[in-house]
Amino acid sequence: MKQKNKVAQTTNWPLTILLIVGCLTVIFPLYMALVIAFKKPSEMTNDIAGALSLPKSWSLENFAEAMRVTDFWHSLGYSVMITVVTVVLAILIHSLAGYAIGRSMAKSKFYKVSYLYIVSGMFVPFAILMMPLVKQTAQMGIDNWFGVIICYLVFYMPMNVMLYSGYLKNIPIALEEAAFVDGATTWSTYWKIIFPIMTPMHATVAVLTALGTWNDVMTPLVIMSGTGVNTLPLAQLTFQTQFGTNYNLAFASYLLALLPILIFYLVCQKQIINGVVNGAVK
């Protein structure tokens, strides 16, 4: 007679409660944004019950007005251009830097110091760099969208180099040695072998960089101020004045700005999970 082993299933209540609280902190603000975005200004009340109630009639008037006020398509175009160019250049440049440092860090003290120097940039607050950047970009004549892209490439370099260097530990160096035996150069080995293998990490870097670039307000605000060029976050500042905030239009505009980056994340979701999992295991 075979004895069946029964594994007692117990509920981890602290973890369950923590997950529920975490879900509520995400779902509740999203619900508020959706409800207020479809409400008319006359339906807005100061009490909590009124704020949580559903709109009497679902209308897209707020979305149409928000698109008109923010000059949505032009602002969207600049946001997409800055984000796409930043992501593409970040993948190309930061992956190269991560490869050079990751493969040489154990052999050379110079690359070890370079790695620590680059990664230390993660601990420098933007507030310290803000005014020097404004003056420097103005003196160099790049106080425009091009200067914003250059700043983003520098800002996200520490995090991306750290991710790429860590991911390289999962790629056997024997692949490169075999390519060298076949007569391949370091350059061709990287582009034909290493770069395609790092596709999951490319997706992770792309989404993290795109999220930060897409939602950033301060960098375009201090560098592109007065140029007449607005990204979506800059255009949305028009809803906030010293006398108050038009929440109906603001939330409608926020939801419109959320859609492109949400679609991008959903497309790259599988690659992101692979990149995180593989990057965590040596």
Side-chain angles (χ1 to χ4, degrees):
M1 219 179 141
K2 294 183 180 179
Q3 186 177 1
K4 295 182 179 180
N5 295 326
K6 295 182 179 180
V7 180
Q9 296 182 352
T10 58
T11 303
N12 191 338
W13 286 110
L15 181 59
T16 303
I17 294 174
L18 183 63
L19 289 175
I20 293 174
V21 172
C23 290
L24 290 177
T25 57
V26 175
I27 295 174
F28 181 73
L30 184 59
Y31 170 79
M32 290 286 293
L34 284 170
V35 168
I36 295 175
F38 283 96
K39 281 185 177 180
K40 295 181 179 179
S42 57
E43 298 180 56
M44 295 294 294
T45 58
N46 294 326
D47 60 304
I48 298 178
L52 295 176
S53 63
L54 295 174
K56 296 178 181 178
S57 61
W58 297 82
S59 174
L60 297 176
E61 293 180 3
N62 290 332
F63 293 89
E65 181 65 14
M67 293 177 69
R68 185 191 66 81
V69 171
T70 58
D71 194 9
F72 179 77
W73 294 113
H74 285 92
S75 301
L76 177 66
Y78 280 111
S79 288
V80 170
M81 179 189 65
I82 291 175
T83 302
V84 170
V85 174
T86 301
V87 168
V88 171
L89 291 179
I91 291 176
L92 295 176
I93 298 173
H94 298 165
S95 62
L96 273 171
Y99 173 70
I101 292 175
R103 283 294 189 238
S104 305
M105 194 165 46
K107 305 173 185 177
S108 173
K109 188 174 292 185
F110 170 78
Y111 286 98
K112 178 68 174 179
V113 173
S114 300
Y115 174 79
L116 295 176
Y117 175 76
I118 293 174
V119 172
S120 65
M122 298 175 63
F123 306 103
V124 180
F126 178 75
I128 297 176
L129 303 174
M130 184 168 60
M131 293 312 298
L133 279 176
V134 173
K135 185 174 181 60
Q136 188 174 6
T137 52
Q139 290 177 340
M140 297 175 64
I142 56 173
D143 49 344
N144 47 36
W145 61 267
F146 178 75
V148 171
I149 292 174
I150 296 298
C151 290
Y152 284 145
L153 289 176
V154 176
F155 294 158
Y156 293 107
M157 188 174 186
M159 177 186 67
N160 293 343
V161 167
M162 184 179 66
L163 290 173
Y164 279 120
S165 299
Y167 190 80
L168 278 169
K169 296 178 182 178
N170 301 298
I171 302 176
I173 198 171
L175 293 175
E176 298 168 58
E177 293 174 347
F180 293 149
V181 170
D182 291 338
T185 62
T186 303
W187 188 256
S188 61
T189 300
Y190 173 75
W191 288 113
K192 294 181 179 179
I193 298 177
I194 304 301
F195 190 82
I197 292 177
M198 292 196 296
T199 298
M201 186 51 65
H202 294 327
T204 304
V205 167
V207 170
L208 293 177
T209 304
L211 281 173
T213 303
W214 186 266
N215 297 319
D216 185 40
V217 178
M218 289 305 299
T219 306
L221 178 63
V222 298
I223 293 181
M224 296 195 306
S225 179
T227 61
V229 176
N230 286 330
T231 59
L232 270 179
L234 278 183
Q236 290 167 350
L237 292 178
T238 57
F239 301 122
Q240 301 176 2
T241 65
Q242 59 179 334
F243 304 106
T245 302
N246 190 330
Y247 290 106
N248 302 94
L249 297 185
F251 285 171
S253 180
Y254 298 156
L255 291 176
L256 288 173
L258 174 66
L259 288 178
I261 200 69
L262 180 61
I263 294 172
F264 177 65
Y265 175 80
L266 292 176
V267 171
C268 300
Q269 184 179 14
K270 183 178 179 181
Q271 296 293 338
I272 295 169
I273 295 174
N274 292 336
V276 172
V277 172
N278 293 334
V281 180
K282 291 185 181 181

